[in-house]
Amino acid sequence: MPDALIGLDVGTSGVKAIAISPDGELVATADESYPLSTPKPGWAEQDPEDWWLAAESCLVRLPDGPIGLSGQMHGLVVLDAGGRVLRPAILWNDQRTQAECEEIERRVGFDRLISLTGNRALTGFTAPKLLWLRTHEPDTYAQIRHVLLPKDYVRFRLTGERAIDAADASGTLLFDVSERRWSEEVCEALEIPLEWLPPSFESTEVAGAGDQAAAALGVGIAAPGPVSIVLGTSGVVFAVLPAYAPEPQARLHVFCHAVPGTWHAMGVMLSAAGSAAWLRKTLGGDHAVLDEEAARWEPGVEGLRFAPYLAGERTPHPDPDARGAFTGLSLRHDRGALWRAMLEGVAYGLRDSLELLRSLGVQPEVGRVSGGGARSELWLRIVSSVLDLPLERMASEEGSAFGGALLAGVRAGAFADVEAAVARCVRVRARIEPDPAWAEAYAQRYESYRLLYPTLKPLEGR
């Protein structure tokens, strides 16, 4: 059995690497940042060489051991016949491909696309980026021979192997999620050569997964039961499904999970802790002071509401042009009131996702919470009460890298399977119960929150 298991997460802002013992104890960490390029409004690109250099720098600071990979999903890396990168990678948060998304849904058919891929065409996914290259950079497109996702490019540089796992491949919009293989039908409809795509495997076979699936493993979400709730820049509610079941309007993402033979669904709101970061910068003060001031207000903040659509939205409103708002302001409302309304608005947004997951048969017992926002005790009490669900904080807060390390252990034989890895290494350190009085108040106010988006939309000039 190896002495250390390595998890390497290729994120948007940098690489994070960890080493853990086979019992899940943290042995060492390393991280390395790199820049994000925005050459035009709405564009987001990175140089894959930066990922590789950062990964090298991190790995030399860790003990030797089998490596598991996680990383930002959906990004497009295109290589020529010699394996050379043809252009900067187009990332998950790039918004240039709205026309191509419409083209994909027209070519494949909206209902058929959801049936095959579990999702509708969104600007973040990989397939629209390829169509954009074909239209706008035909010389580059003509040289493409291989397509990889970000973490899989790092694997390619580490091992020379071109491979992808079913969990990450699910986010390309080129994958038959039900059958867990590349979709010949979608590739044919979009005229994308199948031979460009790397061989696909289960996550345990190649020790890799997209960041959300890996992060879910890191908090023990390997089977139906608990749900993962991420209070990061974006907010995620993630659940393993009883069986493959796309949400009829594709308001949830449905992907293959990192556990072989299972699927997961997740709702994604684009501004969770991102809303907190914006408001803290606007109001001034640190998080602890703002939480203290917010705690003086009762649930509902005397009618003050916050619509958390600062960067558009995905779930349940797939609308990149949606915008945020405070409504119900009065002379009595102060800085603490604004802060509490923001915390509550994000919690309501998470409930939107949870309600959709319930419609697919998810029956949550508890939420496993992670992300920077989970450091706020007040926010966790609010989220627990809005969702009417106990929340658990985990002993490890290493996220996707921890899940990658667990997959490395499964592949190396340190664990019999993912369930055994989770049972040995994932531990709960604290539990937050819903406040019954708060839960009752929030249940009533949630219905009025749901009116915010349809009410605000016609006022935004669209």
Side-chain angles (χ1 to χ4, degrees):
M1 180 180 294
D3 293 329
L5 307 171
I6 311 301
L8 189 72
D9 179 52
V10 183
T12 310
S13 58
V15 164
K16 181 172 185 178
I18 67 169
I20 65 171
S21 74
D23 291 321
E25 299 297 331
L26 188 64
V27 174
T29 67
D31 59 82
E32 199 72 42
S33 62
Y34 34 68
L36 173 72
S37 172
T38 54
K40 293 185 179 181
W43 289 25
E45 299 183 346
Q46 279 175 336
D47 184 352
E49 186 69 14
D50 289 342
W51 305 332
W52 169 240
L53 293 175
E56 278 191 311
S57 176
C58 288
L59 289 173
V60 298
R61 289 178 263 162
L62 300 182
D64 291 334
I67 298 171
L69 294 165
S70 67
Q72 52 172 300
M73 298 180 68
H74 315 306
L76 175 66
V77 184
V78 288
L79 311 178
D80 67 11
R84 290 179 292 272
V85 175
L86 291 171
R87 71 173 322 281
I90 306 176
L91 303 190
W92 63 274
N93 51 345
D94 190 284
Q95 298 292 327
R96 76 185 74 178
T97 60
Q98 186 59 47
E100 287 72 24
C101 289
E102 294 169 3
E103 179 183 353
I104 289 170
E105 293 186 353
R106 184 173 63 252
R107 284 190 180 211
V108 180
F110 182 79
D111 292 339
R112 185 60 176 159
L113 184 69
I114 293 173
S115 174
L116 288 169
T117 72
N119 297 277
R120 67 175 303 166
L122 297 174
T123 54
F125 287 176
T126 314
K129 298 174 173 63
L130 276 168
L131 270 61
W132 186 92
L133 284 181
R134 184 160 64 201
T135 300
H136 297 277
E137 297 183 9
D139 292 343
T140 298
Y141 189 85
Q143 298 177 66
I144 297 174
R145 294 298 178 271
H146 304 292
V147 170
L148 294 175
L149 298 191
K151 77 174 193 324
D152 301 314
Y153 178 74
V154 172
R155 175 191 288 110
F156 175 65
R157 294 293 296 270
L158 274 170
T159 68
E161 178 186 19
R162 289 191 305 107
I164 195 171
D165 55 277
D168 216 358
S170 298
T172 62
L173 214 65
L174 300 170
F175 203 68
D176 187 326
V177 176
S178 174
E179 298 298 323
R180 307 176 81 88
R181 58 176 173 78
W182 294 114
S183 172
E184 295 182 13
E185 181 177 338
V186 173
C187 288
E188 182 178 352
L190 303 184
E191 301 176 74
I192 293 174
L194 267 172
E195 59 267 24
W196 287 2
L197 306 176
S200 66
F201 301 89
E202 293 294 342
S203 289
T204 50
E205 296 177 301
V206 290
D211 54 2
Q212 292 299 328
L217 291 187
V219 296
I221 311 299
V227 296
S228 170
I229 297 170
V230 181
L231 278 170
T233 300
S234 57
V236 177
V237 184
F238 177 115
V240 179
L241 295 173
Y244 176 69
E247 201 275 321
Q249 299 177 52
R251 291 171 293 180
L252 297 167
H253 301 321
V254 177
F255 296 152
C256 298
H257 193 20
V259 181
T262 66
W263 291 265
H264 72 79
M266 63 181 180
V268 180
M269 60 181 300
L270 296 181
S271 296
S275 292
W278 164 77
L279 190 56
R280 187 195 65 79
K281 183 178 179 181
T282 303
L283 296 177
D286 62 29
H287 289 91
V289 171
L290 291 166
D291 275 4
E292 182 180 345
E293 295 176 6
R296 298 170 191 159
W297 288 87
E298 294 295 318
V301 205
E302 297 182 1
L304 181 59
R305 299 177 184 85
F306 175 67
Y309 311 128
L310 300 177
E313 194 53 294
R314 282 199 186 177
T315 305
H317 312 295
D319 183 355
D321 298 317
R323 291 296 176 261
F326 283 101
T327 66
L329 279 164
S330 78
L331 292 172
R332 283 177 46 78
H333 289 127
D334 57 13
R335 186 172 73 163
L338 291 169
W339 188 253
R340 180 155 191 145
M342 180 277 298
L343 299 178
E344 292 179 350
V346 171
Y348 291 136
L350 295 171
R351 180 165 173 178
D352 280 340
S353 292
L354 185 61
E355 294 302 323
L356 287 172
L357 287 169
R358 286 185 168 123
S359 75
L360 294 184
V362 172
Q363 298 178 339
E365 304 164 353
V366 66
R368 299 276 177 82
V369 65
S370 61
R375 289 191 285 268
S376 167
E377 294 290 341
L378 175 62
W379 209 354
L380 293 187
R381 285 185 63 201
I382 290 171
V383 171
S384 177
S385 300
V386 168
L387 302 183
D388 199 15
L389 192 69
L391 300 181
E392 293 177 339
R393 299 172 75 174
M394 314 311 293
S396 171
E397 297 182 346
E398 302 301 330
S400 301
F402 195 88
L406 296 183
L407 289 170
V410 175
R411 189 185 190 197
F415 313 114
D417 50 31
V418 173
E419 292 84 354
V422 165
R424 188 191 300 179
C425 298
V426 178
R427 291 178 279 277
V428 175
R429 67 177 174 87
R431 184 178 173 101
I432 299 94
E433 298 287 346
D435 182 304
W438 287 16
E440 182 179 355
Y442 287 138
Q444 297 172 5
R445 288 168 173 79
Y446 174 62
E447 296 307 315
S448 64
Y449 165 83
R450 295 177 65 191
L451 299 174
L452 283 177
Y453 174 79
T455 301
L456 292 170
K457 185 174 180 178
L459 302 178
E460 294 166 2
R462 290 181 285 126

